[in-house]
Amino acid sequence: MNRTLKLTALLLCLWVAVPAAYAQGKCSLQTMVGTYVIYEKGSSLIMDPSQQPYPLHWAAALAPFANVGLVTFKPNGVGDGYYWIYIGALPHASYDPIPDQVTITELNENCTGKFTYVANLPGGLSATVEERFIVFDNGREFRSVPTSIQNGLPTLAWLGTGHRISKSAQPVKFCGQHTALGTYLMNAESIIANDPAMGVADSLFIRADVSLSGDWTGTLYEKIGPVSVETAALGKFTVNPDCSFTWTLKVPEFFPGEIVSKGVFFNQGKEYFSLALDDPTLPPEQQGIKFSFGWGKRIGQ
């Protein structure tokens, strides 16, 4: 009987404790104070009624979209940051990020809100964007979806994700080469096209061991168009104090150059988001990556 009572009491404690662990109070601008790693991924799709010669395909114009960046929100709801971006065939114009300012215009007690920003794009273009967002886990994460795109591509749709890496209104300065140390599973999905009329879908993952210097070696597994690849790969992480990084990829068996990605670590370096960028020093006809979004997770030390 005593054993049964003790077990019942223990289960009751666990039942009470679990909801408490996930409890979230009312939200305010203070909830959003801190630095967030942000990524957004989606596309614009327009159907074309013309004849499509490929089985299992539809005739369509597709513009993939992704961005990766950082933003630090202050108590007044204004956040300063930056991002790297791809929209369809319009690549990020340089390896430098684009400065950004995000303003929270609404944040309700139920943790739903809106923010707005002017998205400055490669080629001197810009668009004013409003997004609806929901913040949860006491401000540790949020999800967003666009509600208005002015002067941009109105048919774009995406989902955004934010992960808080610091609860201070001061910029982050605690990352470095040590952040990338360990064994990572690196993933990417891409559209590779060397001319506007032809491209292939590409997906890959890499199991990589990263040293304290940032140098890494591993094995790449890839499906590019109809071809499957398994080969050695190597490269380097260069990690900045604000947790952003430059990542390089070399595949000696297939091409002599390297691919450069920009991204940001979160979750104490256990995860990251990244965007592969075309070499801005090359003429457009020699640039091959039209879209490449990556993410990674540390799976060992």
Side-chain angles (χ1 to χ4, degrees):
M1 177 67 71
N2 287 340
R3 182 177 300 174
T4 302
L5 290 174
K6 289 179 180 177
L7 179 59
T8 302
L10 177 60
L11 291 174
L12 180 61
C13 289
L14 289 174
W15 179 80
V16 172
V18 169
Y22 288 92
Q24 174 166 295
K26 295 179 179 179
C27 283
S28 68
L29 288 179
Q30 189 63 36
T31 307
M32 294 291 291
V33 171
T35 296
Y36 287 83
V37 175
I38 294 177
Y39 85 95
E40 297 179 325
K41 181 172 177 287
S43 64
S44 172
L45 176 66
I46 301 172
M47 300 303 295
D48 183 346
S50 64
Q51 178 69 28
Q52 172 54 257
Y54 297 103
L56 306 182
H57 282 239
W58 52 40
L62 174 66
F65 165 83
N67 65 52
V68 175
L70 275 175
V71 62
T72 301
F73 286 107
K74 299 185 283 291
N76 63 358
V78 176
D80 291 313
Y82 58 80
Y83 57 87
W84 294 272
I85 190 169
Y86 256 99
I87 300 178
L90 182 67
H92 193 95
S94 74
Y95 290 148
D96 296 326
I98 298 172
D100 188 31
Q101 186 175 85
V102 181
T103 301
I104 298 173
T105 57
E106 175 187 320
L107 186 52
N108 304 304
E109 289 186 347
N110 68 355
C111 301
T112 63
K114 292 181 180 180
F115 56 70
T116 185
Y117 55 92
V118 175
N120 295 305
L121 307 175
L125 304 175
S126 66
T128 300
V129 180
E130 179 188 75
E131 297 190 41
R132 166 69 71 181
F133 71 93
I134 299 176
V135 61
F136 57 96
D137 199 8
N138 294 305
R140 293 182 180 88
E141 294 188 45
F142 71 79
R143 301 291 183 270
S144 68
V145 66
T147 57
S148 173
I149 303 172
Q150 299 178 26
N151 301 320
L153 188 59
T155 52
L156 273 175
W158 65 79
L159 288 175
T161 295
H163 293 267
R164 189 170 64 199
I165 61 175
S166 171
K167 203 173 180 181
S168 170
Q170 300 301 313
V172 169
K173 297 181 179 179
F174 50 69
C175 283
Q177 290 298 105
H178 63 280
T179 306
L181 177 64
T183 299
Y184 281 81
L185 177 61
M186 306 169 177
N187 307 266
E189 54 181 335
S190 312
I191 294 175
I192 299 175
N194 287 317
D195 68 72
M198 182 177 180
V200 294
D202 171 55
S203 296
L204 64 88
F205 68 83
I206 303 170
R207 188 187 187 280
D209 295 313
V210 186
S211 70
L212 186 57
S213 68
D215 295 302
W216 66 267
T217 57
T219 303
L220 177 148
Y221 305 87
E222 183 173 17
K223 178 68 163 54
I224 177 168
V227 179
S228 296
V229 174
E230 179 178 340
T231 187
L234 69 155
K236 186 177 180 66
F237 274 103
T238 302
V239 185
N240 301 313
D242 68 352
C243 300
S244 64
F245 63 82
T246 300
W247 178 83
T248 61
L249 165 67
K250 296 181 180 180
V251 186
E253 183 178 354
F254 291 98
F255 61 90
E258 67 179 16
I259 293 173
V260 176
S261 293
K262 298 286 187 173
V264 189
F265 280 105
F266 63 98
N267 193 14
Q268 293 82 48
K270 296 176 183 177
E271 299 179 73
Y272 69 77
F273 298 120
S274 66
L275 204 61
L277 304 178
D278 280 322
D279 186 343
T281 65
L282 295 177
E285 64 272 13
Q286 295 182 25
Q287 296 184 7
I289 298 173
K290 296 305 178 187
F291 168 81
S292 185
F293 176 77
W295 60 100
K297 187 176 183 67
R298 188 191 300 155
I299 59 174
Q301 287 288 2

